[in-house]
Amino acid sequence: MQKKAGPLFYVGLSVFIFLVMFPFLWILISSLKPVSELFGEKAFVPFTSDPTFVNYQSVFVNHPFLTYLKNSLIVSGVTTIYTVLIASFAAYAIARMKFKGKTVILGLVLSVSMFPQIATISPIYIILKNLGLTNSYIGLIIPYTTITLPLSIWILVTFFRKIPFDLEEAAKIDGASIMQTYWRVILPLAVPGIFTTAILVFIAAWNEFLFALVLNTQEAYKTVPVGIAMFQGQFTIPWGEISAATVVVTVPLVIMVLLFQRRIVSGLTSGAVKE
Amino acid sequence: MSDHTSKPKKKRKLSESSTAYLLIAPSLLLILVIAIWPVIQSFYFSLFDLRLNNPTKSEVHTSHMIDLQRYLDNYFLLEGAIDNELDKADQGNAETLNGVKEDLSKLDSSLLEDGKIKERYEIIDEKLMNLEKVGSKEKLVEVEKDRAEEIQTELNDIEEKLKGLDELEDPKAVKGLSSALADSIIKPNFIGFDHYAKNLTDKRMWMSIWNTVVFTVVSVAIELVIGLMIALLINKAFFGRGLVRASILIPWAIPTVVAALMWKFLYDGQNGIVAKIFEEIGLVERMATLLTNDTGAMFSVIFADVWKTTPYMALLLLAGLQTIPTSMYEAAAIDGANKWKQFFTITLPLLKTSILVALLFRTLDAFRVFDLIFVLTGGGPANSTETISLLAYKVMIAQSNFGEGSALSVVVFICVAIISMIYISLLGRDLLEDKK
């Protein structure tokens, strides 16, 4: 279907992109409006005559938003590094070694990735509470493994399988041990795949909500999604602040997506497509 | 090592598989500890009446026990409180209070007759005196069922007697302490399948399952159709392809909570632009009805979900489309097949696996939906958008009823297992095959 695109195609495409991006644009405009223009007739005007950064200021001054960002960065960062490391060992073995029970293990990994989080949360909460690990970083990083480890193994196996097998044979003939082969030969070639996995794991950990909501209830340990969700008060919803906070969270993700879109797509679709 | 004969070769083969197991071990161990064990434990919890806000039910108990820490703490405080009251009590009250005091000391000495209790009693007494921490296992001593019931009756009697007293100096102290003391006896809270029996006849739980099914089926069906249309549309060479791909990735990349908040703002009954547009085009009667009416709320939730996850669906399908060789379409075109025929005879059959995989992932995600609804509607209005995960969360966390919440989460687990088994049997072993 490699057909050249006509002008009508571009019109349709532009409309589609506009519809996808519309909520973001609207939130961006709203975040720059003074509070008085967020209500009444002016709420429906797609521009503002009096742009202001007061909402942004309020996000950082009236809410511990920097703390939320710091917490999210630490939790997602550590989760990413440790999951990808452990998953890369397992994925290497599954993709390139001969042993019994491979299908069973892969099946187990796949089924764990389908587990509903809610079904694991009560024992995890109780045990972390007894260990005094609720409201801590490690208490969130460990449960995040449930989501990130199966995902990482699944993607990495696909990447490891793409590396030519002759390389290992050559290394073996040269007398390298399995671990040497892994560190010196395979790992350098797998860097793009590992990087892709890391991006996806980071996004998954950054966006996680249920565990963070249940396990870290103190302000000092809340992550960004929980922090933002709790902006809404009992009776009033500060839309200006919420819009500004949304923009603050979305912009880095937009940059990341623009930079790494090719990798993200290859990671998302790996394992889902038979080649 | 490798230039020796057959024997070392065999040895290396053995070491390859053991190295492999060694490499997999950390991952497997983690998966067992943080995913599989909790699911089994959830099922175990669901058989108990487990409530974190009730001291006698805050843990799983399979036998009768006495909580000596609670007993000793309250015993001495109650004794002191009774002495205080005795100083100022009138005659009638004094009689009862003295009687209670006697009952208490009788009960206490009868407890000390039991060697096992006595030993632990003294250890804990000393720890409490020195303000040391008592272990959660240490404070519990197992007692025979009959004996436990006997003690309970006596404690209840004491509570009853004190309850009947009027005109006390500090009635809250005496009555509160005696009722706290009566909680010292712990009964087994195993209740078998009662939580399941209760929920399977509960209208709210069936309604939440129905809501989840409606949400899942409608949103995934719409996402499949639109996703396939987008995939077909952008599966060609055109200018700015990377930019298009990036822009449709953005809804996927942002946190669901943030997307939900954005839509909540756009749907707002007074200031929401999307609500306003829906009103103008006649989709809703008044802006405010969008989130305050059953169908309106469900529609809003599905609409937001379609916006957020269709791109993901489109990308999975696009990757599948790209594996179909163009030569097949060329051959079909030569045979005179038109575009529609090509779609139904080439594209759809060859895309079957990709579609099933995309549907599997999306169906499971949709069935487990939590964040979106938690933020957007909170399950309302009148539970009309409450899904099964949200119900389990509310029972477990908001009501601290971990037993029943666990039972509901096991129900979610079973539903998810059934859904994935259906898809996997459709997919065959394709998914796990060791492809080379």
Side-chain angles (χ1 to χ4, degrees):
Chain A
M1 272 207 198
Q2 298 290 332
K3 194 181 62 174
K4 268 268 181 278
L8 202 68
F9 169 80
Y10 284 106
V11 174
L13 200 66
S14 311
V15 172
F16 166 67
I17 300 285
F18 175 76
L19 286 179
V20 171
M21 299 305 283
F22 175 75
F24 290 113
L25 298 173
W26 195 261
I27 293 285
L28 183 65
I29 295 165
S30 303
S31 73
L32 296 169
K33 284 182 177 178
V35 177
S36 59
E37 286 185 34
L38 285 170
F39 303 98
E41 271 313 301
K42 280 204 167 167
F44 307 114
V45 180
F47 56 83
T48 171
S49 46
D50 183 19
T52 163
F53 283 101
V54 82
N55 291 321
Y56 289 88
Q57 203 185 343
S58 164
V59 164
F60 288 97
V61 176
N62 299 345
H63 298 273
F65 202 68
L66 270 181
T67 314
Y68 300 156
L69 282 171
K70 186 191 80 184
N71 295 341
S72 273
L73 262 181
I74 293 174
V75 171
S76 319
V78 176
T79 303
T80 307
I81 293 167
Y82 117 96
T83 325
V84 172
L85 187 74
I86 291 177
S88 75
F89 295 147
Y92 176 67
I94 293 171
R96 309 185 72 90
M97 291 181 171
K98 286 198 192 89
F99 61 93
K100 272 189 195 144
K102 197 185 278 190
T103 321
V104 176
I105 289 174
L106 215 50
L108 188 74
V109 170
L110 186 67
S111 21
V112 167
S113 73
M114 296 172 185
F115 278 16
Q117 265 171 290
I118 190 91
T120 60
I121 204 150
S122 65
I124 287 181
Y125 174 78
I126 287 177
I127 202 152
L128 288 175
K129 198 166 165 259
N130 289 340
L131 291 171
L133 284 177
T134 47
N135 290 307
S136 72
Y137 293 135
I138 188 83
L140 208 49
I141 291 165
I142 297 171
Y144 276 8
T145 323
T146 343
I147 318 163
T148 55
L149 196 64
L151 174 80
S152 316
I153 295 179
W154 194 251
I155 301 171
L156 282 170
V157 166
T158 321
F159 278 110
F160 278 130
R161 276 181 183 153
K162 284 183 190 150
I163 298 169
F165 281 81
D166 314 353
L167 290 169
E168 265 157 324
E169 289 303 318
K172 259 184 208 168
I173 291 164
D174 289 346
S177 73
I178 292 179
M179 277 325 273
Q180 278 174 325
T181 318
Y182 175 69
W183 283 112
R184 303 253 177 89
V185 181
I186 304 298
L187 205 57
L189 288 171
V191 165
I194 288 179
F195 187 64
T196 302
T197 314
I199 298 172
L200 292 180
V201 169
F202 188 86
I203 293 178
W206 182 270
N207 294 356
E208 201 285 331
F209 182 62
L210 182 57
F211 279 136
L213 178 73
V214 173
L215 298 174
N216 283 7
T217 45
Q218 279 171 16
E219 283 295 331
Y221 288 100
K222 274 182 188 164
T223 57
V224 170
V226 180
I228 291 195
M230 298 302 152
F231 267 26
Q232 12 182 359
Q234 195 81 26
F235 304 106
T236 56
I237 307 181
W239 287 124
E241 287 177 11
I242 289 179
S243 306
T246 301
V247 174
V248 173
V249 181
T250 309
V251 166
L253 281 168
V254 170
I255 294 170
M256 214 159 119
V257 166
L258 283 176
L259 287 177
F260 304 127
Q261 41 119 342
R262 224 172 269 279
R263 292 196 181 287
I264 294 174
V265 172
S266 79
L268 276 181
T269 52
S270 73
V273 185
K274 298 281 285 179
E275 280 160 54
Chain B
M1 191 162 137
S2 51
D3 32 17
H4 287 276
T5 40
S6 64
K7 220 183 168 189
K9 206 178 176 190
K10 205 178 174 188
K11 201 176 160 196
R12 204 180 63 199
K13 222 178 181 179
L14 222 166
S15 88
E16 176 169 321
S17 71
S18 34
T19 318
Y21 289 128
L22 212 64
L23 287 170
I24 294 173
S27 295
L28 269 192
L29 206 70
L30 271 168
I31 286 177
L32 281 177
V33 173
I34 52 130
I36 294 171
W37 174 80
V39 169
I40 297 168
Q41 191 75 5
S42 276
F43 176 68
Y44 182 67
F45 283 170
S46 73
L47 304 176
F48 289 85
D49 187 12
L50 192 63
R51 293 163 198 268
L52 288 204
N53 53 2
N54 180 332
T56 62
K57 291 175 178 172
S58 65
E59 272 173 69
V60 165
H61 299 293
T62 47
S63 56
H64 284 83
M65 279 181 286
I66 178 163
D67 180 343
L68 283 175
Q69 183 184 15
R70 176 169 277 270
Y71 171 78
L72 283 168
D73 262 343
N74 291 301
Y75 177 82
F76 289 114
L77 290 172
L78 181 59
E79 212 175 28
I82 290 177
D83 283 340
N84 274 344
E85 295 292 345
L86 272 173
D87 291 344
K88 298 143 197 157
D90 57 40
Q91 201 165 6
N93 274 358
E95 213 168 284
T96 323
L97 285 167
N98 273 322
V100 167
K101 230 182 127 182
E102 209 166 298
D103 288 348
L104 272 174
S105 67
K106 236 193 259 165
L107 175 67
D108 196 51
S109 42
S110 81
L111 280 179
L112 287 169
E113 277 164 25
D114 185 326
K116 226 169 47 180
I117 295 181
K118 187 172 187 235
E119 192 189 333
R120 198 73 66 80
Y121 185 109
E122 280 159 3
I123 298 173
I124 290 173
D125 195 21
E126 189 164 327
K127 278 200 169 182
L128 289 175
M129 294 280 224
N130 301 332
L131 299 174
E132 279 175 64
K133 218 181 151 206
V134 181
S136 62
K137 289 269 182 297
E138 192 184 18
K139 67 184 184 191
L140 300 175
V141 179
E142 211 169 300
V143 278
E144 292 284 315
K145 185 178 174 231
D146 293 345
R147 178 72 181 122
E149 277 166 3
E150 224 175 87
I151 302 171
Q152 186 71 66
T153 323
E154 283 177 46
L155 290 172
N156 288 347
D157 275 353
I158 291 170
E159 193 186 347
E160 277 310 308
K161 278 183 194 166
L162 292 173
K163 239 187 209 161
L165 294 180
D166 292 320
E167 290 169 37
L168 289 173
E169 275 298 305
D170 187 3
K172 267 191 194 148
V174 176
K175 289 174 187 175
L177 286 167
S178 67
S179 106
L181 187 68
D183 281 343
S184 305
I185 294 296
I186 290 166
K187 291 181 209 63
N189 49 356
F190 179 81
I191 54 161
F193 288 94
D194 283 9
H195 284 314
Y196 295 94
K198 184 197 151 206
N199 275 295
L200 289 178
T201 52
D202 183 20
K203 245 173 118 184
R204 185 169 176 196
M205 125 94 188
W206 284 110
M207 172 134 159
S208 72
I209 296 232
W210 172 247
N211 290 338
T212 315
V213 170
V214 169
F215 172 82
T216 306
V217 171
V218 177
S219 63
V220 173
I222 298 173
E223 283 155 26
L224 176 67
V225 173
I226 302 180
L228 190 58
M229 274 160 42
I230 297 169
L232 289 169
L233 188 73
I234 60 179
N235 183 28
K236 57 176 88 172
F238 64 87
F239 178 72
R241 203 173 148 162
L243 203 68
V244 171
R245 203 159 52 175
S247 64
I248 63 172
L249 265 178
I250 293 169
W252 165 84
I254 63 163
T256 311
V257 172
V258 170
L261 277 172
M262 275 174 28
W263 283 99
K264 196 171 181 173
F265 177 52
L266 300 173
Y267 289 149
D268 190 85
Q270 277 152 11
N271 321 301
I273 179 76
V274 170
K276 178 90 177 162
I277 293 169
F278 284 172
E279 188 192 63
E280 301 275 310
I281 62 174
L283 210 57
V284 288
E285 219 172 289
R286 280 181 306 113
M287 280 171 70
T289 54
L290 190 56
L291 284 180
T292 50
N293 155 298
D294 295 7
T295 353
M298 184 53 96
F299 168 82
S300 307
V301 172
I302 291 175
F303 194 83
D305 191 67
V306 167
W307 174 82
K308 174 136 174 64
T309 52
T310 304
Y312 174 72
M313 187 72 113
L315 285 171
L316 286 187
L317 296 177
L318 179 62
L321 278 179
Q322 284 166 345
T323 61
I324 301 175
T326 19
S327 55
M328 295 194 74
Y329 293 104
E330 282 155 14
I334 290 167
D335 288 349
N338 65 15
K339 280 274 176 291
W340 279 106
K341 201 159 180 208
Q342 285 178 25
F343 177 75
F344 284 109
T345 55
I346 302 171
T347 314
L348 265 190
L350 286 175
L351 210 56
K352 186 186 145 215
T353 311
S354 294
I355 291 178
L356 280 176
V357 171
L359 279 180
L360 165 69
F361 289 145
R362 275 303 309 142
T363 309
L364 291 181
D365 268 350
F367 199 86
R368 295 178 291 192
V369 65
F370 176 79
D371 316 9
L372 180 72
I373 293 179
F374 180 85
V375 174
L376 198 50
T377 65
N383 299 337
S384 61
T385 54
E386 184 176 77
T387 59
I388 180 82
S389 293
L390 192 63
L391 176 63
Y393 167 84
K394 283 180 181 169
V395 171
M396 204 185 303
I397 306 299
Q399 302 173 11
S400 288
N401 190 343
F402 269 63
E404 195 178 334
S406 298
L408 287 166
S409 72
V410 169
V411 171
V412 183
F413 183 84
I414 292 170
C415 293
V416 164
I418 293 172
I419 296 171
S420 40
M421 273 191 276
I422 294 171
Y423 275 110
I424 287 171
S425 70
L426 286 175
L427 275 165
R429 291 173 62 83
D430 272 12
L431 213 54
L432 297 178
E433 224 167 56
D434 194 3
K435 50 186 173 189
K436 275 191 184 155

